[in-house]
């Protein structure tokens, strides 16, 4: 398990960007890590212009929305003047923004991203599949912050969703610093080939104990049919302040297909989710 020494937080013009940056500063302080804030949005395109013969003309991009950049920069400056740990500001304004962000993320131990808020119009400058593509394309673990509710850098109750997959294993390893600091760790498993009358695979609690995480409460297995909603319900019932899970999906020709539980959690979560692909 490598320590967290490099954090990358995504900034945009949304109202929730400040909460992401604040949490990233808290994590950087706790881990004594280098923090980079990356302003990354897609350029605006004017409407298509009709041409004779019915072939539309695609105009050049209109550039980055200046108000959204100013809002993100003001958020960054407020944190700096408030005495937050040192943070580097970088910008990506090329197209495609997802590829550029994922390349930068390759050299980071942990990403801090934001759940898409369908009610915030400024979020339209960020591609709708930005979070999942950043996680899948970079292969780096990410802490995804919900657009509503509170987020803490030191969760006291953590819910771990386990499947016998590399995605789940990577998420569990990335979550170890959070799990060591938690007072309660809840474990729930999902596997379409599992015997649902049995407890969690013995190797998972044993692995956690090897890392100093002794008290793990196990719950009944999730059903594959509705694992995402069951996981969110369990998070609410246990008072979890963080969910740990794999991010499942594949990208082909810029088209992303997510696993059902991943999609449900990213759309409906109200607590941070630490995900890895």
């Amino acid at each position: 398990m490598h320590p967290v020494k490099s954090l990358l937080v995504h900034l945009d013009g949304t109202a929730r960007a400040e909460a992401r940056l604040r949490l990233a500063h808290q994590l950087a302080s706790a881990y004594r890590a280098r923090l980079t804030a990356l302003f990354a949005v897609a350029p605006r395109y004017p409407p298509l212009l009709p041409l004779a013969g019915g072939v539309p003309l695609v105009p050049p991009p209109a550039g980055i929305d200046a108000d959204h950049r100013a809002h993100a920069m003001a958020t960054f400056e407020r944190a700096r003047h408030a005495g937050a740990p040192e943070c580097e500001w970088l910008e990506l304004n090329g197209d495609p923004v997802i590829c550029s962000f994922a390349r930068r993320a390759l050299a980071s131990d942990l990403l801090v991203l934001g759940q898409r808020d369908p009610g915030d119009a400024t979020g339209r400058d960020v591609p709708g599949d930005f979070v999942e593509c950043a996680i899948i394309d970079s292969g780096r673990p990410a802490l995804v912050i919900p657009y509503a509710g509170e987020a803490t850098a030191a969760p006291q109750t953590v819910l771990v969703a386990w499947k016998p997959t590399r995605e789940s294993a990577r998420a569990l390893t990335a979550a170890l610093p959070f799990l060591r600091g938690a007072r309660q760790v809840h474990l729930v498993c999902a596997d379409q080939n599992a015997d649902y009358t049995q407890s969690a695979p013995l190797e998972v609690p044993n692995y956690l104990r090897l890392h100093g995480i002794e008290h793990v409460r196990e719950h009944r297995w999730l059903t594959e049919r509705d694992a995402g909603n069951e996981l969110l319900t369990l998070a609410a019932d246990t008072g979890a302040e963080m969910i740990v899970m794999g991010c499942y999906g594949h990208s082909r020709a810029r088209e992303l297909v997510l696993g059902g539980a991943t999609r449900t959690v990213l759309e409906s979560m109200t607590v941070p989710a630490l995900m890895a692909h």
Side-chain angles (χ1 to χ4, degrees), residues 19-272:
R20 290 202 298 275
L21 182 59
R22 184 167 57 248
L23 185 70
H25 275 298
Q26 292 170 2
L27 291 171
S29 179
Y31 298 137
R32 297 181 180 178
R34 182 189 67 197
L35 176 60
T36 301
L38 187 53
F39 176 71
V41 299
R44 292 276 182 95
Y45 284 86
L48 297 178
L49 302 175
L51 284 181
V55 180
L57 172 66
V58 180
I64 301 302
D65 188 295
D67 289 340
H68 294 180
R69 183 189 181 279
H71 181 276
M73 178 60 79
T75 296
F76 178 84
E77 290 295 335
R78 279 195 300 273
R80 190 164 66 89
H81 291 305
E86 184 177 350
C87 179
E88 180 185 12
W89 166 279
L90 292 179
E91 292 187 38
L92 292 180
N93 51 27
D95 187 30
V97 66
I98 292 175
C99 295
S100 298
F101 187 92
R103 282 197 299 269
R104 178 71 193 188
L106 292 172
S108 302
D109 294 317
L110 182 66
L111 314 180
V112 181
L113 309 175
Q115 177 193 27
R116 186 172 184 83
D117 181 358
D120 190 338
T122 58
R124 296 171 188 166
D125 284 353
V126 178
D129 56 355
F130 178 84
V131 168
E132 48 266 41
C133 284
I135 297 172
I136 291 173
D137 290 354
S138 72
R140 310 309 296 163
L143 187 59
V144 185
I145 309 305
Y147 65 78
E150 296 299 321
T152 175
Q156 294 303 294
T157 303
V158 180
L159 173 59
V160 177
W162 172 260
K163 289 181 69 175
T165 63
R166 63 182 182 182
E167 292 89 347
S168 187
R170 288 171 177 170
L172 183 64
T173 301
L176 287 176
F178 297 101
L179 298 177
R180 291 193 193 99
R183 294 180 181 176
Q184 298 182 57
V185 175
H186 297 266
L187 175 64
V188 63
C189 301
D191 183 358
Q192 61 184 356
N193 300 315
D195 179 353
Y196 290 93
T197 65
Q198 301 299 313
S199 59
L202 187 61
E203 63 268 20
V204 180
N206 283 346
Y207 174 79
L208 293 174
R209 278 193 289 271
L210 286 172
H211 287 276
I213 303 157
E214 296 286 346
H215 303 292
V216 179
R217 181 180 174 185
E218 298 176 28
H219 295 265
R220 65 176 179 81
W221 291 65
L222 301 174
T223 62
E224 285 286 308
R225 182 181 63 258
D226 198 24
N229 285 316
E230 290 181 12
L231 182 61
L232 292 173
T233 298
L234 183 58
D237 291 344
T238 58
E241 296 172 305
M242 179 184 291
I243 298 172
V244 177
M245 63 183 293
C247 179
Y248 301 94
H250 59 86
S251 182
R252 294 292 183 270
R254 294 182 62 104
E255 179 179 335
L256 190 73
V257 180
L258 288 180
T262 303
R263 182 175 57 253
T264 299
V265 171
L266 283 175
E267 289 176 352
S268 305
M269 65 189 209
T270 58
V271 296

